[in-house]
């Protein structure tokens, strides 16, 4: 079983559309994250949730809205997609306060046309 | 604001050679990570370094941490083609939260 799974793997859409990316982890972790990797491979944190509570919210347009229905799931909804939103979005999970590594999902390649 | 700088950003080396990737960071942190990313793939954790003087080794890769100098190194010994990938260092600035700030990555190409 995949530890951190994201769907879809690829997402191609038109400007102005609304789309969602789903993430699930089966590691029993209590904290989940969204990271964005741009075309130059630069990775930046967007959000973090601990036990369904938002704990990190970086400077991200409010068109991006994370939702965590339970601690094993963290979804990312994006409204009114723009060209600049094209990137790879990675979900990750960890155990809060531990010294263990962060586990990443396989990424969602979003292309906005 | 925490800044993490890696160098070099591009590294082309011959099989069998040794080389070091450097990661400097600007403020105190309690954790430093090294990740590997193959093209089109996810990030694979290589090392977690927690204390000054920490050294970890896995195969041909060895990572070290000097918290006083705010410097970590990833040393590659006798490189092989399979090590070709992008290597990222990341520094935690969020305490118990994993608010990782990543370096720009080092694209390593090992040539036969």
């Amino acid at each position: 079983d995949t530890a951190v799974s994201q769907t879809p793997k690829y997402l191609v859409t038109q400007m102005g559309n609304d789309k969602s990316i789903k993430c699930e982890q089966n590691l029993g972790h209590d904290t989940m994250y969204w990271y964005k990797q741009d075309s130059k491979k630069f990775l930046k944190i967007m959000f973090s949730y601990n036990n369904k509570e938002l704990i990190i919210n970086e400077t991200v347009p409010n068109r991006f809205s994370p939702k965590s229905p339970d601690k094993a799931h963290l979804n990312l909804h994006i409204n009114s997609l723009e060209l600049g939103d094209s990137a790879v979005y990675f979900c990750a999970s960890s155990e809060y306060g531990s010294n263990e590594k962060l586990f990443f999902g396989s990424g969602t390649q979003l292309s906005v046309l | 604001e925490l800044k993490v700088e890696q160098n070099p950003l591009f590294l082309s080396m011959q099989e069998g050679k040794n080389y070091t990737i450097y990661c400097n960071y600007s403020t105190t942190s309690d954790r430093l990570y090294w990740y590997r990313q193959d093209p089109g793939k996810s990030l694979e954790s290589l090392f977690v370094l927690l204390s000054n003087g920490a050294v970890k080794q896995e195969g041909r890769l060895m990572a070290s941490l000097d918290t006083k100098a705010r410097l970590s190194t990833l040393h590659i010994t006798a490189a092989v083609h399979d090590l070709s990938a992008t290597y990222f260092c990341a520094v935690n600035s969020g305490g118990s939260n994993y608010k990782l700030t990543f370096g720009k990555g080092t694209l390593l190409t090992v040539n036969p």
Side-chain angles (χ1 to χ4, degrees), chain A residues 9 33 35 37 40-43 45 55-56 58 90 94-102 104-106, chain B residues 1 30-31 33 35 37 40-43 45 48 50 86 88 94 96-104:
Chain A
K9 188 168 175 61
Y33 310 80
Y35 280 82
Q37 186 172 43
K40 295 184 178 178
K41 304 297 183 190
F42 184 60
L43 276 150
I45 190 167
I55 54 174
I56 295 175
E58 290 297 282
F90 286 99
S94 71
E95 190 65 21
Y96 185 86
S98 80
N99 288 325
E100 294 300 315
K101 60 190 178 183
L102 200 58
F104 283 86
S106 57
Chain B
E1 181 186 339
D30 60 353
R31 275 169 273 173
Y33 303 82
Y35 283 89
Q37 187 178 35
K41 302 291 186 183
S42 185
L43 286 93
S45 177
V48 181
L50 301 174
T86 299
F88 292 94
S96 295
N97 301 324
Y98 277 72
K99 185 177 175 182
L100 298 189
T101 300
F102 281 80
K104 292 185 176 179

Side-chain angles (χ1 to χ4, degrees), chain B residues 25-87:
Chain B
Y25 54 100
S26 60
T27 61
T28 303
S29 173
D30 60 353
R31 275 169 273 173
L32 188 138
Y33 303 82
W34 284 97
Y35 283 89
R36 168 182 171 147
Q37 187 178 35
D38 292 302
K41 302 291 186 183
S42 185
L43 286 93
E44 174 193 354
S45 177
L46 296 173
F47 302 107
V48 181
L49 302 170
L50 301 174
S51 59
N52 188 41
V55 177
K56 291 197 174 179
Q57 182 162 8
E58 180 77 32
R60 300 175 189 274
L61 301 177
M62 183 173 72
S64 66
L65 178 62
D66 180 343
T67 57
K68 293 179 182 176
R70 296 179 188 156
L71 170 68
S72 179
T73 61
L74 181 66
H75 187 72
I76 303 153
T77 302
V80 292
H81 180 68
D82 284 353
L83 289 179
S84 297
T86 299
Y87 292 85

Side-chain angles (χ1 to χ4, degrees), chain A residues 44-93:
Chain A
K44 189 169 169 58
I45 190 167
M46 299 173 70
F47 301 103
S48 171
Y49 270 75
N50 174 252
N51 279 321
K52 303 191 295 177
E53 182 181 342
L54 182 65
I55 54 174
I56 295 175
N57 184 355
E58 290 297 282
T59 308
V60 176
N62 57 15
R63 298 181 294 103
F64 290 78
S65 53
K67 284 187 172 50
S68 181
D70 56 60
K71 72 175 190 177
H73 295 83
L74 180 61
N75 304 323
L76 183 65
H77 189 75
I78 315 168
N79 289 327
S80 302
L81 278 155
E82 300 178 357
L83 292 175
D85 297 333
S86 296
V88 181
Y89 293 84
F90 286 99
C91 178
S93 74

